[in-house]
Amino acid sequence: EMDNAAARDQTAPSQTPGPENTNTINVSTKKNPNFYVFLGKKYLEDHEEIELHALGNAVSTSVIAAENLVRNEYATFASIQTRTISVAGTRGEGKKAKLFITLKRHPDFKENREKFNAIRDENERLAKTKEGET
């Protein structure tokens, strides 16, 4: 198993590990789905494919975020997998479900992102004019 990973690393283009080169988003329950929608859009600017990884209670957060990205045509579902992994906890080792959602960039990603940004900017402009009126 280790040898395969090492061999893969050698053939992969030399990239320094870091948030800017990874296409993996680790979803936690500490942030809401909207945060991951925002993050997903950011990642999709640089990556053709992104992966949302979620453990235990974060599974629903990642599903909502992925669903949102797909519904708004930023991405399409490539695959959804689950694995049971061993987690070291306070009461010894436990098993947890881990969800892997792979999303592909939607063909209209750029267009839809620009549309979203235009709507957002317009809403901010309207909000500012309203503030001026009161």
Side-chain angles (χ1 to χ4, degrees):
E1 189 71 65
M2 284 304 288
D3 293 342
N4 280 353
R8 256 204 314 278
D9 288 346
Q10 253 88 63
T11 54
S14 61
Q15 284 189 334
T16 49
E20 61 287 341
N21 286 322
T22 180
N23 68 335
T24 302
I25 299 171
N26 287 310
V27 179
S28 101
T29 50
K30 291 183 179 68
K31 295 203 161 61
N32 68 20
N34 290 342
F35 170 78
Y36 293 105
V37 171
F38 168 79
L39 210 59
K41 287 197 283 189
K42 277 257 173 283
Y43 274 57
L44 284 162
E45 286 173 17
D46 303 321
H47 302 281
E48 192 62 43
E49 253 186 24
I50 61 167
E51 278 183 34
L52 299 177
H53 291 194
L55 204 58
N57 296 335
V59 164
S60 59
T61 304
S62 69
V63 170
I64 294 166
E67 178 57 41
N68 229 304
L69 287 163
V70 170
R71 192 174 48 238
N72 292 305
E73 298 189 332
Y74 292 114
T76 58
F77 282 110
S79 74
I80 300 176
Q81 295 175 307
T82 54
R83 280 185 218 135
T84 306
I85 62 160
S86 299
V87 185
T90 44
R91 296 185 297 260
E93 206 174 87
K95 296 249 185 266
K96 263 195 174 166
K98 187 165 184 179
L99 183 70
F100 301 84
I101 301 175
T102 306
L103 297 173
K104 266 191 164 54
R105 189 191 297 142
H106 193 282
D108 303 334
F109 172 78
K110 239 187 155 81
E111 200 181 306
N112 291 325
R113 197 192 56 221
E114 280 159 17
K115 247 186 270 178
F116 171 85
N117 290 344
I119 292 166
R120 187 194 55 205
D121 295 347
E122 176 65 8
N123 287 342
E124 281 171 8
R125 196 185 59 75
L126 290 172
K128 279 196 181 75
T129 25
K130 274 209 175 70
E131 281 167 23
E133 287 167 14
T134 50

